[in-house]
Amino acid sequence: MKLIYKLLKLLLNQRAVKEDNETLNIILNRKSCRRFSKKKVSKEILEKILLAGASTPSTVNLQTWSFFPFDYDEWYQKFGNPIPFGAQAAIIVCADLKRLEVIDPVFKKFPYCFYTLAVMNASLSAMNMTLAIEGFGLKSIMLSQTGRTGFMDYEYIKEKLSLPSLVFPLTTIAFGFPENELLFSPPKLDKEVIIHRDGKYTLREEETIAWLKDMDFACNLAEGEKITEKFKNYLKMLPKAEEELANAFKKISD
Ligand SMILES: Cc1cc2nc3c(=O)[nH]c(=O)nc-3n(C[C@H](O)[C@H](O)[C@H](O)COP(=O)(O)O)c2cc1C
């Protein structure tokens, strides 16, 4: 009985939302895609997606980001393997403090603030591009570790793209046409867990544990691996990534 209830809940979670607001529909129905068709993404669309990234709001309009676009062949030439999940296009998004050296090197005295600022702005640009991708009827996935595509492989990407210090690769947006329109969406936390309506923080442990159990069930069903196991594997990658990032971070104040 419990199993049927869990399955039903998961299935209901996959329903498409239809609101009167098209932007909201795009946001609410977005799902990460892990299987793409071989259909190419045109250069025109890629340029418009990059324009969406460049139009993102940023702290003092500093635009602390840099984008590296690739089509399938360009990626293959650069990295010697296909874009993960068979995607036909990709954009590597970096947090970029290098340009600030030209404007005012004072930022080097405040590495925590400026690193956070750069990561925040660049992450917003990644989301703007993700939504633009959805607007074209394409699908995407942001990557930070799969296929050495994000900040977890800082040194590797830095070397491949010949990045100067102060430029931090964060994530790769891999995108294209989906192989199948039916995408799987993992359960989200109940929104009351993350919204603190009375202006006072409340940790909702019970609901958080309930979500973890739902995630375990969903991941096990979809990928044959529980979230708790996934997380353990993720943790194994962290010591190297932490060290690489710490070294890069130190260079801000050098
Ligand atoms: C910054 C970032 C990095 C991610 N890195 C990976 C990754 O390396 N591999 C992967 O399979 N999914 C990755 N994801 C996708 C998440 O697993 C996915 O967003 C999450 O499970 C929620 O699913 P949804 O995007 O369908 O809502 C990443 C997502 C973000 C935002």
Side-chain angles (χ1 to χ4, degrees), residues 27 29-34 84-85 123 126-127 130 140-152 170-172 183-188 215 219 223 227 230 234 237:
I27 293 171
N29 290 313
R30 183 212 54 80
K31 293 173 186 172
S32 293
C33 176
R34 291 183 176 83
F85 303 121
S123 303
M127 197 62 222
T130 297
S140 72
I141 182 162
M142 274 193 231
L143 300 169
S144 59
Q145 41 105 2
T146 302
R148 311 189 87 184
T149 45
F151 76 91
M152 302 281 282
L170 293 182
T171 185
T172 296
L183 298 178
F184 171 74
S185 183
K188 301 288 182 197
M215 267 302 274
C219 291
E223 300 166 46
I227 178 80
K230 264 182 180 225
Y234 190 77
M237 292 181 254

Side-chain angles (χ1 to χ4, degrees), residues 217-253:
F217 179 74
C219 291
N220 208 8
L221 201 71
E223 300 166 46
E225 192 185 32
K226 292 182 169 190
I227 178 80
T228 35
E229 290 157 6
K230 264 182 180 225
F231 195 58
K232 267 189 208 147
N233 288 332
Y234 190 77
L235 289 179
K236 282 184 202 152
M237 292 181 254
L238 288 185
K240 182 180 138 281
E242 185 77 11
E243 195 186 330
E244 287 185 0
L245 261 185
N247 288 336
F249 186 83
K250 266 189 229 141
K251 290 194 183 132
I252 296 180
S253 46

Side-chain angles (χ1 to χ4, degrees), residues 5-6 9 187-197 201-216 227:
Y5 169 75
K6 279 188 169 186
K9 197 171 154 193
K188 301 288 182 197
L189 282 161
D190 184 309
K191 72 178 171 28
E192 295 311 314
V193 176
I194 54 162
I195 302 173
H196 307 274
R197 298 189 190 278
Y201 187 90
T202 313
L203 175 62
R204 295 182 187 264
E205 278 184 54
E206 228 173 81
E207 290 90 338
T208 305
I209 289 166
W211 165 79
L212 192 63
K213 284 187 180 154
D214 284 351
M215 267 302 274
D216 254 348
I227 178 80

Side-chain angles (χ1 to χ4, degrees), residues 43-133:
K43 283 272 175 220
E44 290 74 26
I45 287 182
L46 179 59
E47 288 306 314
K48 287 193 176 139
I49 291 163
L50 291 163
L51 182 64
S55 309
T56 306
S58 62
T59 324
V60 201
N61 198 24
L62 287 173
Q63 301 157 74
T64 51
W65 49 62
S66 279
F67 310 140
F68 292 80
F70 297 91
D71 64 20
Y72 182 94
D73 295 331
E74 290 163 343
W75 180 281
Y76 201 94
Q77 261 182 350
K78 181 60 83 179
F79 297 103
N81 50 43
I83 304 173
F85 303 121
Q88 292 299 313
I91 300 170
I92 296 182
V93 180
C94 299
D96 190 342
L97 290 171
K98 183 74 187 163
R99 243 175 273 124
L100 280 193
E101 276 186 330
V102 183
I103 301 166
D104 189 344
V106 71
F107 74 88
K108 296 189 173 189
K109 290 189 187 154
F110 309 101
Y112 290 110
C113 290
F114 275 92
Y115 179 76
T116 305
L117 171 160
V119 170
M120 187 161 68
N121 293 333
S123 303
L124 292 173
S125 75
M127 197 62 222
N128 247 19
M129 289 192 273
T130 297
L131 294 179
I133 289 167

